[in-house]
Amino acid sequence: MSRQRSDAGFTLVELLVSMLVLVLVLMVTNGLLVESLRIFSNSGRELRQPGAELALRLLREDLHAGRPLPAGIAETHTGLTCERPDRIEVWEMDDNRLVRRTYDPAWTPLGTRPMLDGMIEFFWETTAEGAVHVRLQRRKPAGASALRVATAAWKSVGDELEQADVVAGSRISGTSLP
């Protein structure tokens, strides 16, 4: 009588190999999960800050919609007034923060919104009738993600500072610039 081998189960070697493959897959999955949580937390931190890209877009829109300013003005740390048909927006420094103050056409205050923290410089000049160049310089935000750095309008100025330039023209005067 010969003994017949049953093929119904797994050998110990097959079980060990499958467990090793499972452990490797779990380690890779864990690494991806940890990295995605890090990216998510950095993105959340950036979204909780007064959005730098949003501030630049709002500034550009205020300049486009505002009454044209005369040529030859150059100011540092003083308010940039954008007189729109329905309201007045004033961009100015408040200590180391750039704020946007809103007034009605009679200059009654409607509110103040902090836009950018860590500001070092707020400079603006009118290069031509209705055309305004604004230079903003601030400290780099801590923990900025690589995606933000790669897509931002902010350019590095040394190790600790970054700078953005906005050039816009009033659409009212027909001097609209990019």
Side-chain angles (χ1 to χ4, degrees):
M1 293 191 157
S2 69
R3 291 175 95 182
Q4 291 187 356
R5 184 170 175 232
S6 171
D7 290 333
F10 296 103
T11 65
L12 185 58
V13 172
E14 291 171 333
L15 286 174
L16 288 174
V17 168
S18 63
M19 292 296 284
L20 180 64
V21 169
L22 178 64
V23 166
L24 290 174
V25 168
L26 288 175
M27 286 174 52
V28 169
T29 305
N30 183 49
L32 291 173
L33 179 63
V34 167
E35 182 65 16
S36 66
L37 287 173
R38 187 189 63 78
I39 291 170
F40 179 74
S41 67
N42 282 343
S43 299
R45 181 174 39 254
E46 290 169 19
L47 291 174
R48 285 189 301 273
Q49 293 177 354
E53 304 304 318
L54 174 63
L56 296 179
R57 192 180 81 219
L58 287 174
L59 177 59
R60 187 173 283 115
E61 286 176 6
D62 285 346
L63 291 169
H64 283 315
R67 190 187 73 191
L69 296 169
I73 301 172
E75 300 286 338
T76 302
H77 295 287
T78 58
L80 171 60
T81 303
C82 302
E83 293 187 39
R84 300 171 68 128
D86 59 337
R87 67 184 184 275
I88 300 165
E89 303 289 354
V90 178
W91 292 77
E92 60 188 356
M93 294 284 287
D94 186 2
D95 291 328
N96 66 343
R97 175 180 281 174
L98 181 66
V99 297
R100 181 182 186 219
R101 299 186 198 283
T102 304
Y103 301 89
D104 70 6
W107 285 92
T108 304
L110 299 176
T112 299
R113 179 175 179 177
M115 300 305 292
L116 294 170
D117 290 326
M119 292 294 299
I120 303 294
E121 179 184 33
F122 173 60
F123 170 80
W124 63 274
E125 65 181 337
T126 55
T127 54
E129 171 95 19
V132 181
H133 170 241
V134 180
R135 183 177 58 239
L136 305 166
Q137 195 172 80
R138 69 177 187 160
R139 297 191 191 291
K140 288 182 185 176
S145 70
L147 177 63
R148 188 197 77 77
V149 171
T151 61
W154 296 86
K155 306 300 178 220
S156 289
V157 179
D159 292 335
E160 296 182 11
L161 301 178
E162 61 185 6
Q163 178 175 307
D165 287 288
V166 174
V167 178
S170 172
R171 289 193 177 122
I172 296 171
S173 69
T175 326
S176 183
L177 300 174

